[in-house]
Amino acid sequence: MRINGISVHYQQIGQGPDLVLVHGLFCNLAFWYLTVAPMLAKRFRVTVYDLRGHGHTECMPTGYRAIDLADDLIALLDHLGIARAHLVGHSFGGAVTLACAARHPHRGATLSLVDAWVPSLQQIGKAFWQAQRGRLAAAGLKEYDQLPRVAYGFIEELIEHRERDGAAAPLMSLLGPPDIAGDSRRLKKWRQLVEQTSATCDLPDGTGLGRTEIAAIAMPSFALFGRRSRFLPTLLALETLMPSLTSRTIANAGHLFPLLQPMLLVEHIDGFLADH
């Protein structure tokens, strides 16, 4: 399906009020589709889709700022005839839904930010990535060195969860094994995104999503973060800018808790939406 000038891959399941799930970087709609989406589909019509340059959605030369991806989301809603929807975004998907709420306030019924990373509120520099790479090396995982930096935290957290609870091994397949030859489809797609598009410049660009724009968001909003997340600075900034924000943190949870503890996420989302 072509919208906003690109071919977009999406899926819908369930019936009821509309709810859209937006994944983060180096992911695709499968992040939601196999776990969270079926549970929410018991009460909502759930739409999941691949962001521009991810999954089966077309990779374009430009258009990877949060505000650009928010425009893609609005175009998808228009195509599907969805006037308003509950918006749920994880990681950078949270920045996309936040930008959607800022630029198109009448299209969101509610906003749920799930361990969101908002670049205008939390810049990530070289030291951040070096620290994550060092932790992987210390765990004896030097074979992951050639994976994209954005995947380091995912791998580290899944391994920590497996060592602690013995329950993450099947979920590793969602990221795939280390592929030093670079032959995996996901790795090829990410390298295309990094090497052949403006994504590396666009993704940290907070244009249109500064503190003033965020503070002006009036729709009912909810933030849910893991207490072990490295994106808690984003949460602290959101709480300062949005006094009416309802926020919760989950003990012993990191950035990937929607993948590792999907039922817990659904319970919190259901509780918030029941009041709105």
Side-chain angles (χ1 to χ4, degrees):
M1 175 198 70
R2 295 196 67 82
I3 60 151
N4 209 24
I6 65 171
S7 176
V8 174
H9 176 232
Y10 77 95
Q11 298 286 339
Q12 280 188 321
I13 55 173
Q15 294 182 340
D18 281 293
L19 184 148
V20 181
L21 298 167
V22 185
H23 67 77
L25 302 179
F26 199 58
C27 291
N28 54 50
L29 61 78
F31 184 86
W32 304 111
Y33 195 74
L34 302 177
T35 53
V36 173
M39 288 186 275
L40 288 172
K42 296 174 183 177
R43 295 167 294 283
F44 301 95
R45 180 170 68 167
V46 177
T47 301
V48 292
Y49 72 105
D50 292 333
L51 289 173
R52 177 183 294 237
H54 292 70
H56 293 287
T57 292
E58 192 173 359
C59 192
M60 302 296 286
T62 60
Y64 296 93
R65 299 175 300 172
I67 58 171
D68 301 322
L69 299 177
D71 289 343
D72 287 346
L73 172 54
I74 290 300
L76 175 63
L77 296 182
D78 288 344
H79 176 84
L80 297 175
I82 298 174
R84 297 176 77 230
H86 299 289
L87 305 175
V88 180
H90 174 254
S91 196
F92 191 73
V96 176
T97 56
L98 195 67
C100 190
R103 289 169 66 82
H104 308 279
H106 302 298
R107 303 302 297 272
T110 63
L111 173 65
S112 295
L113 303 170
V114 182
D115 221 273
W117 169 50
V118 182
S120 59
L121 302 180
Q122 182 182 358
Q123 288 291 317
I124 294 179
K126 186 176 181 180
F128 179 92
W129 299 117
Q130 287 179 333
Q132 287 200 321
R133 184 174 181 177
R135 285 188 289 269
L136 289 181
L141 297 169
K142 294 182 179 180
E143 67 269 25
Y144 285 94
D145 280 358
Q146 295 187 36
L147 284 177
R149 291 181 300 180
V150 72
Y152 291 176
F154 281 29
I155 300 296
E156 179 189 10
E157 190 169 335
L158 287 174
I159 290 168
E160 287 178 354
H161 188 82
R162 181 179 61 191
E163 291 175 346
R164 186 175 65 248
D165 301 329
L171 297 173
M172 292 291 285
S173 62
L174 289 178
L175 291 178
D179 188 342
I180 303 306
D183 292 331
S184 74
R185 182 184 181 280
R186 180 176 302 170
L187 193 52
K188 282 184 175 180
K189 186 95 180 213
W190 181 259
R191 284 179 171 160
Q192 179 187 6
L193 187 69
V194 170
E195 297 170 4
Q196 300 177 25
T197 77
S198 63
T200 54
C201 293
D202 288 354
L203 292 172
D205 189 335
T207 299
L209 196 57
R211 293 174 181 269
T212 300
E213 289 87 357
I214 293 172
I217 294 174
M219 75 174 59
S221 300
F222 177 51
L224 185 63
F225 281 63
R227 289 183 195 167
R228 295 173 54 248
S229 171
R230 295 185 179 89
F231 297 105
L232 289 177
T234 290
L235 174 61
L236 294 176
L238 289 169
E239 289 174 333
T240 300
L241 294 169
M242 305 170 68
S244 61
L245 177 74
T246 300
S247 62
R248 299 284 185 274
T249 57
I250 299 177
N252 298 317
H255 186 58
L256 286 184
F257 75 85
L259 189 65
L260 299 170
Q261 303 178 71
M263 188 171 295
L264 191 59
L265 170 63
V266 170
E267 289 174 357
H268 279 85
I269 294 293
D270 274 341
F272 170 68
L273 295 183
D275 296 330
H276 299 88

